[in-house]
Amino acid sequence: MDQSYVELKSYPRQYKPMKSFINKRSITKIFQAGLVVILLVTVVINLLFIMDTKQKLSQVAIKKPPVSYDIKKLENQKLSTSRSLSIEVLSSKARVSVAVDGTTIMEDAEDNRNRGIHILVLNQATGSVMANRNFDTYEAHEGDAMVLFLNMISPGRILIFAIKDEGTFNLLKSAREKLAWYGSKRAKDLHWRDMWAMVAFKGAGEYIGESYSKSPDLGNWGSPVLLKVDVPLRDVEDTECKWPNKEINKRRKAFCNKVEGYGSVCSCSDPSPLEFHPQPISHNHVSHLPVAVIASNRPHYLFRMLKSLLSANGVRPELITVYIDGYFEVRA
């Protein structure tokens, strides 16, 4: 009897842990089911909110009258909304650079190379780079070459000047007068190893800013100068020539909006011809041969040579390919 009593007392103790485990599982399932219900309710509310918002927007769109846009006018307005360019120009013994709106668009820091006056030409409506030249005005005749290049630039372009190392030894009177014509106050005072930078529009006295540092003696250079200016952009329509609406002038316009230094090609009043009509040559045994022209960054001389080549009897323009330094692939 005593043994049976002991077994009855110990029996419930064996199943008590199992009962606790079942209770915990039930609570977990109830909690998970609750989370699922909450998630479903949240999804339904979001869907209803999205559908209601879409319906309201469609009603507003129906009530709003249609608007027509002049695409060309909008493009021109877009180009003129950035009312100015922030330009920084550095001139020093070993480095010159130009940055526009915080982006470096020209930099030269090569040792013992490219000394003289660096010139950068920007489009006055878009700010794009149209030409980049370096004139070693320490050497003879480079000042004259610089004046010739500046004469080939279309009026109104943004001109940026900076000296690297030395740029005055052979900067003669004609070159100094040209810089002074653009508004430079220091052109006549530039001397051996002075540092100098200037920004101006191509035009009489359309000066924007200038910075200058005088060398202390013949054995040293002037301190580096950093010129910072804000250059106002001009309306696109005011910067383009009003040539007759012909296919040849569409090509001319596309070319002249990208590159500079070709002089009369981009003249508004008396543009040079772009089409030539040379006479064929009978019994021409070399007419099928291609012609390759390899040019440096000297647009004036290239244009003069191409005019002569395209005017020669028997020439076939479709067989001529020109390779030239520059920023753009341009077909003229």
Side-chain angles (χ1 to χ4, degrees):
M1 179 68 68
D2 294 337
Q3 184 178 1
S4 176
Y5 176 78
V6 171
E7 289 178 354
L8 288 174
K9 287 290 184 178
S10 62
Y11 188 82
R13 292 180 183 178
Q14 294 177 358
Y15 285 89
K16 187 175 181 181
M18 180 64 70
K19 184 176 181 181
S20 175
F21 177 72
I22 293 172
N23 290 337
K24 288 183 179 179
R25 287 187 61 184
S26 300
I27 293 172
T28 303
K29 288 183 178 180
I30 293 171
F31 181 73
Q32 290 176 346
L35 288 178
V36 172
V37 171
I38 294 173
L39 180 62
L40 290 175
V41 171
T42 304
V43 171
V44 171
I45 292 174
N46 286 333
L47 288 175
L48 292 174
F49 177 76
I50 292 171
M51 293 174 63
D52 183 63
T53 304
K54 185 176 180 181
Q55 183 178 5
K56 290 181 179 179
L57 289 175
S58 62
Q59 291 175 354
V60 172
I62 293 172
K63 294 178 181 179
K64 189 175 181 179
V67 180
S68 61
Y69 296 97
D70 186 336
I71 299 301
K72 185 176 181 181
K73 185 176 180 181
L74 285 175
E75 289 176 349
N76 292 342
Q77 289 176 350
K78 183 179 179 181
L79 290 173
S80 61
T81 50
S82 297
R83 292 296 179 183
S84 64
L85 298 175
S86 178
I87 298 179
E88 296 185 4
V89 189
L90 172 68
S91 167
S92 67
K93 171 191 172 183
R95 178 172 173 256
V96 292
S97 67
V98 177
V100 176
D101 292 337
T103 301
T104 300
I105 61 173
M106 186 276 286
E107 183 175 21
D108 187 340
E110 292 190 68
D111 292 336
N112 301 316
R113 294 192 63 186
N114 303 322
R115 69 185 171 191
I117 299 179
H118 290 249
I119 302 177
L120 204 64
V121 182
L122 306 184
N123 188 298
Q124 69 271 40
T126 64
S128 62
V129 177
M130 304 188 75
N132 182 9
R133 295 287 303 278
N134 167 228
F135 298 92
D136 185 4
T137 43
Y138 178 87
E139 300 290 346
H141 309 299
E142 279 292 286
D144 294 334
M146 183 183 76
V147 171
L148 177 61
F149 171 73
L150 291 172
N151 288 338
M152 294 290 168
I153 303 298
S154 301
R157 301 300 190 202
I158 300 171
L159 303 178
I160 303 174
F161 302 86
I163 287 180
K164 179 185 177 185
D165 188 6
E166 212 300 300
T168 65
F169 189 70
N170 269 296
L171 190 66
L172 303 181
K173 182 180 179 180
S174 60
R176 293 175 183 269
E177 289 178 346
K178 176 61 69 175
L179 297 177
W181 188 74
Y182 292 140
S184 173
K185 309 293 191 300
R186 296 288 188 174
K188 295 180 180 180
D189 301 324
L190 290 174
H191 295 295
W192 175 257
R193 291 180 175 174
D194 290 348
M195 296 296 106
W196 171 76
M198 184 178 78
V199 179
F201 284 110
K202 168 70 184 288
E206 294 197 62
Y207 165 89
I208 298 172
E210 187 175 28
S211 187
Y212 167 77
S213 173
K214 184 173 179 58
S215 63
D217 52 61
L218 294 177
N220 292 284
W221 287 260
S223 301
V225 298
L226 181 63
L227 173 64
K228 297 182 179 181
V229 294
D230 289 328
V231 181
L233 290 176
R234 301 181 175 180
D235 292 335
V236 176
E237 293 181 354
D238 296 336
T239 64
E240 295 179 343
C241 296
K242 303 302 186 288
W243 294 307
N245 188 19
K246 298 180 180 179
E247 185 61 32
I248 189 66
N249 286 329
K250 292 180 181 179
R251 291 170 50 198
R252 187 191 303 274
K253 180 179 178 181
F255 180 85
C256 294
N257 283 339
K258 290 184 177 181
V259 294
E260 264 295 353
Y262 288 86
S264 58
V265 170
C266 301
S267 171
C268 291
S269 57
D270 187 24
S272 295
L274 296 181
E275 292 182 328
F276 302 87
H277 305 283
Q279 298 298 318
I281 298 176
S282 59
H283 307 294
N284 187 353
H285 300 292
V286 294
S287 62
H288 63 287
L289 296 179
V291 177
V293 178
I294 302 176
S296 63
N297 193 7
R298 293 291 189 271
H300 171 66
Y301 300 111
L302 173 63
F303 176 53
R304 186 174 63 184
M305 185 277 297
L306 287 177
K307 283 178 63 177
S308 177
L309 176 61
L310 293 171
S311 300
N313 290 337
V315 70
R316 295 178 60 186
E318 67 273 15
L319 296 179
I320 300 174
T321 304
V322 179
Y323 300 90
I324 183 173
D325 297 337
Y327 289 88
F328 306 99
E329 293 182 6
V330 178
R331 181 180 179 184

